[in-house]
């Protein structure tokens, strides 16, 4: 008795391809370089809070173990809002905000926030995106597919 190709196909497990890939990136002047394991098939985020609006960042969150600073630690400066444990890392030379980090229980604890605008060979405009209403501390509303207003 022989098995048909159809029977073999049904029995063979389908290999799964992980959407997580390692991306490299850095600041504008090249002093800071990093790599991160990211799933860019998932939506990236934009927020309307005052700092995100001013910086125009588009970010994705990962656990700290999925982020690695390759070079330029001495070229980084941090910005923290009024004693917050969370910070944004900027290049001291060109001012690019490459990533942030901190701890927010609602986000699962420790995190790194990678600015996808700083990734090599990635066009943030081609990525799915969701929007948060940080300007109005409306985190409970969750993300949505259209930008939240800046003015109430």
């Amino acid at each position: 008795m022989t098995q048909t190709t159809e029977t073999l196909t049904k029995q063979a497990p389908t290999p799964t391809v992980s959407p997580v890939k390692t991306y490299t990136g850095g600041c504008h002047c090249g002093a800071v370089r990093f790599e991160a394991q990211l799933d860019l098939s998932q939506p990236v985020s934009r927020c309307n809070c005052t700092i995100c609006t001013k910086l125009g960042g588009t970010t994705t969150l990962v656990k700290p173990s999925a982020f690695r600073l390759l070079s330029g630690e001495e070229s980084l400066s941090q910005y923290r809002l009024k004693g917050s444990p969370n910070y944004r890392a900027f290049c001291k030379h060109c001012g690019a905000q490459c990533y942030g980090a901190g701890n927010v229980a609602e986000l699962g604890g420790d995190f790194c926030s990678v600015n996808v605008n700083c990734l090599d060979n990635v066009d943030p405009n081609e990525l799915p995106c969701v929007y948060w209403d940080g300007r109005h501390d409306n985190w409970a509303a969750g993300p949505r597919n259209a930008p939240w207003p800046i003015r109430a």
Side-chain angles (χ1 to χ4, degrees):
M1 179 174 184
T2 62
Q3 291 183 324
T4 66
T5 304
E6 183 180 338
T7 304
L8 290 173
T9 303
K10 286 182 180 177
Q11 292 175 348
T14 304
T16 57
V17 178
S18 173
V20 176
K21 297 178 183 172
T22 300
Y23 295 87
T24 58
C27 66
H28 185 259
C29 71
V32 177
R33 297 293 300 160
F34 64 86
E35 70 179 16
Q37 296 172 345
L38 306 171
D39 177 358
L40 293 182
S41 69
Q42 295 300 308
V44 294
S45 294
R46 291 191 184 136
C47 176
N48 67 355
C49 74
T50 55
I51 191 155
C52 289
T53 300
K54 299 238 183 237
L55 294 176
T58 302
T59 62
T60 187
L61 296 180
V62 295
K63 290 292 185 187
S65 60
F67 180 87
R68 187 166 69 112
L69 186 62
L70 299 174
S71 63
E73 185 172 5
E74 69 285 351
S75 294
L76 288 171
S77 184
Q78 293 182 2
Y79 173 74
R80 293 175 193 265
L81 183 61
K82 299 178 187 169
S84 171
N86 308 319
Y87 68 89
R88 294 170 187 266
F90 291 86
C91 174
K92 292 178 190 177
H93 309 291
C94 67
Q97 185 252 317
C98 301
Y99 65 94
N103 184 296
V104 175
E106 295 81 2
L107 298 177
D110 292 338
F111 70 90
C112 274
S113 176
V114 178
N115 184 352
V116 297
N117 293 314
C118 290
L119 295 176
D120 301 333
N121 303 311
V122 171
D123 183 347
N125 296 315
E126 294 176 357
L127 302 175
C129 185
V130 294
Y131 300 86
W132 292 88
D133 189 18
R135 170 115 4 169
H136 305 103
D137 255 345
N138 192 16
W139 303 107
R144 68 180 194 178
N145 292 329
W148 290 88
I150 291 178
R151 293 186 184 101

